[in-house]
């Protein structure tokens, strides 16, 4: 006992101490979950005071972990937007579901390394199973292959690298110089603009992203899409990939996927669907029909940390051409375990060392069942319908025709959306944002929490009335 060093007691506290500390952490978290709905959604933060407090932390003078945990919990309570709050109607940042929280705890403690199959057979196979299940739920023809990513942006980046490698095998060795012209990709003007960063990262350059005109509701115009591709070919460019968005970030609009699929087929281009948050609609029998056309995609992005409500850090890239995905990311080294490369996640994805992100979706899906997820999703779209009707009754105009639970609306009295949103945010009872939807400033309210109730929706309607006065 005498020779157990102090540092070891911190990194690996023994039995009883560990249990006491963990119980303390769990008690704190329980308190947070039980009282979150009573907190201000977006407490005001004094940035200078915050930085000063953190500057005062003296890392030469270690503090007990229990004390630190308590301090961090209090700081978080007062210093962030509580995106998990039932009256947070902002972007698609749901509270994390309980099975997902449990999964992340297990993952953090056991900490498997998913780079190679032979080091993590069970985790790798669990992830593969979940990817296949997601593909099946979406209606993709089997076999569906893919992997977990940190989120939608990484999955979309992966899709572009895959498309570039499929279209021109020399891309693997020579990069963009392997192409006889400038490779181009096509997405709508309402798509998620990480595409610009992705084009930059891939070496294509941001000018490679063609933002195609949409209709007045924000859905890509397939005729303009086809024209843009033809014009680019005539100019000596090389079209590579078309992106359909199933659930735009601003307005939840779903591009006409069958029309885009037809253009992709006629133009012989990779068809990617970005269903980062809309993809969850696959679990709702009522909403699934709106995703028609997604089954024709060569690859699909779905974020588990959006509408599937698992803790942050879980996206998925699904694809049908497993060999092409392996070719895109294949590598051999002298130091990695050999023999299972076809199944090794590091040989078919961007990441190398890999966290067990898939467990949170596995546990959630297995505990809820597909139908449980469907009911959760229908509950949220039902609340969105309640909100839509309430807005209309109170003389707001709903602008976006979507079955998904995000509502873009404007006032009829010349109310400036940014001013109304700012007033409402400052008042503190709820949080919504101002956004731009097909060029028009709007207020944007999204049902993003599975804990939001009808009362919360009615409260938002009242707060909106107050904020416009
Ligand atoms: C959120 C979102 C993304 C980006 O996903 P991250 O998980 O934030 O990386 C991409 N596309 C769409 C449509 C999104 O809503």
């Amino acid at each position: 006992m005498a020779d157990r060093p102090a540092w070891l007691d911190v990194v690996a506290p023994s039995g009883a101490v560990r249990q006491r500390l963990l119980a303390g952490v769990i008690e704190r978290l329980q308190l947070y979950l039980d009282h979150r709905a009573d907190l201000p959604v977006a407490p005001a933060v004094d940035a200078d005071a915050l930085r000063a407090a953190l500057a005062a932390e003296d890392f030469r003078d270690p503090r007990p972990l229990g004390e630190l945990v308590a301090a961090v919990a209090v700081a978080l309570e007062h210093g962030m937007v509580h995106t998990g709050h039932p009256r947070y109607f902002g972007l698609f940042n749901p509270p994390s579901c309980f099975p997902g929280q449990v999964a992340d705890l297990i993952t953090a403690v056991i900490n498997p390394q998913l780079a190679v199959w032979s080091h993590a057979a069970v985790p790798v196979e669990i992830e593969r199973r979940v990817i296949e299940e997601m593909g099946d739920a979406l209606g993709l023809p089997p076999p569906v292959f893919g992997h977990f990513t940190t989120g939608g942006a990484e999955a979309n980046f992966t899709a572009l690298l895959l498309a570039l490698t499929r279209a021109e095998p020399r891309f693997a060795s020579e990069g963009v110089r392997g192409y006889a012209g400038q490779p181009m990709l096509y997405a709508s003007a309402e798509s998620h603009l990480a595409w610009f960063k992705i084009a930059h990262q891939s070496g294509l350059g941001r000018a490679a992203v063609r933002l195609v005109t949409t209709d007045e509701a924000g859905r890509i115009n397939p005729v303009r899409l086809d024209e843009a591709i033809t014009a680019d070919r005539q100019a000596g460019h090389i079209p590579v990939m078309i992106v359909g968005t199933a659930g735009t970030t601003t307005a939840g609009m779903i591009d006409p996927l069958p029309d885009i699929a037809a253009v992709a087929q006629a133009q012989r281009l990779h068809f990617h669907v970005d269903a980062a948050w809309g993809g969850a609609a696959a679990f709702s029998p009522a909403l699934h029909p709106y995703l028609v056309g997604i089954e024709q995609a060569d690859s699909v992005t779905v974020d588990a940390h959006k509408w599937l409500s698992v803790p942050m850090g879980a996206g998925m890239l699904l694809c049908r051409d497993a060999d092409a995905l392996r070719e895109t990311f294949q590598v051999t080294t002298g130091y990695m375990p050999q023999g299972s490369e076809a199944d090794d996640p590091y040989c078919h994805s961007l990441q190398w060392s890999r966290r067990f992100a898939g467990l949170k979706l596995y546990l959630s899906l297995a505990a809820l069942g597909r139908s449980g997820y469907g009911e959760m999703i229908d509950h949220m779209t039902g609340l969105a319908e309640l909100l839509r009707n309430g807005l209309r009754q109170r003389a707001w105009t709903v602008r976006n025709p979507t079955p998904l639970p995000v509502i873009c609306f404007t006032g009829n009295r010349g109310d400036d959306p940014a001013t109304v949103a700012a007033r409402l945010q400052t008042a503190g009872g709820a949080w919504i944002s101002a956004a731009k939807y097909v060029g028009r400033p709007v207020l944007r309210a999204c049902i993003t929490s599975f804990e939001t109730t009808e009362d919360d929706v009615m409260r938002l309607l009242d707060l909106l009335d107050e904020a416009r006065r």
Side-chain angles (χ1 to χ4, degrees), residues 194-426:
W195 288 116
F196 285 113
K197 283 167 60 172
I198 289 166
H200 186 159
Q201 278 170 284
S202 67
L204 257 53
R206 292 170 185 240
V209 183
R210 279 267 183 271
L211 293 185
V212 178
T213 323
T214 66
D215 65 12
E216 70 286 350
R219 291 170 290 229
I220 200 167
N221 180 327
V223 176
R224 295 282 170 277
L225 170 67
D226 197 55
E227 288 169 357
I229 294 166
T230 302
D232 276 343
R233 282 200 213 280
Q234 278 162 3
H237 299 326
I238 305 194
V240 167
M241 178 169 93
I242 304 177
V243 179
T245 305
T248 57
T249 310
T250 306
M253 297 309 300
I254 300 170
D255 282 338
L257 303 178
D259 297 343
I260 307 177
V263 174
Q265 191 170 31
Q267 296 273 7
R268 294 191 312 285
L269 300 179
H270 185 103
F271 173 34
H272 177 70
V273 175
D274 180 0
W277 77 265
F283 291 113
S284 156
L287 291 182
H288 196 182
Y290 291 100
L291 297 176
V292 66
I294 202 167
E295 70 285 349
Q296 295 183 63
D298 294 296
S299 54
V300 179
T301 288
V302 182
D303 249 352
H305 65 212
K306 294 261 179 83
W307 206 357
L308 294 170
S309 304
V310 306
M312 207 86 75
M316 285 172 276
L317 184 277
L318 314 183
C319 86
R320 286 160 68 178
D321 189 345
D323 289 339
L325 194 63
R326 292 191 185 103
E327 262 159 51
T328 304
F329 296 101
Q330 64 98 13
V331 65
T332 18
T333 67
Y335 52 85
M336 294 296 281
Q338 312 286 308
S340 57
E341 287 83 352
D343 297 313
D344 290 349
Y346 91 103
C347 290
H348 61 79
S349 68
L350 275 159
Q351 294 178 29
W352 201 284
S353 292
R354 169 178 286 278
R355 178 183 169 85
F356 191 11
L359 184 61
K360 35 196 171 190
L361 185 54
Y362 174 78
L363 285 189
S364 306
L365 195 49
L368 261 175
R370 283 203 197 190
S371 60
Y373 256 129
E375 285 164 25
M376 178 187 102
I377 278 157
D378 290 344
H379 167 72
M380 291 162 75
T381 48
L383 288 180
E385 201 47 35
L386 182 73
L387 179 54
R388 262 182 214 105
N389 292 333
L391 286 167
R392 291 191 183 111
Q393 278 164 13
R394 296 176 190 221
W396 300 90
T397 303
V398 173
R399 298 284 173 184
N400 61 328
T402 177
L404 305 185
V406 53
I407 304 168
C408 296
F409 59 102
T410 50
N412 300 348
R413 310 177 196 156
D415 318 277
D416 169 43
T419 310
V420 175
R423 276 198 209 130
L424 192 136
Q425 288 167 12
T426 310

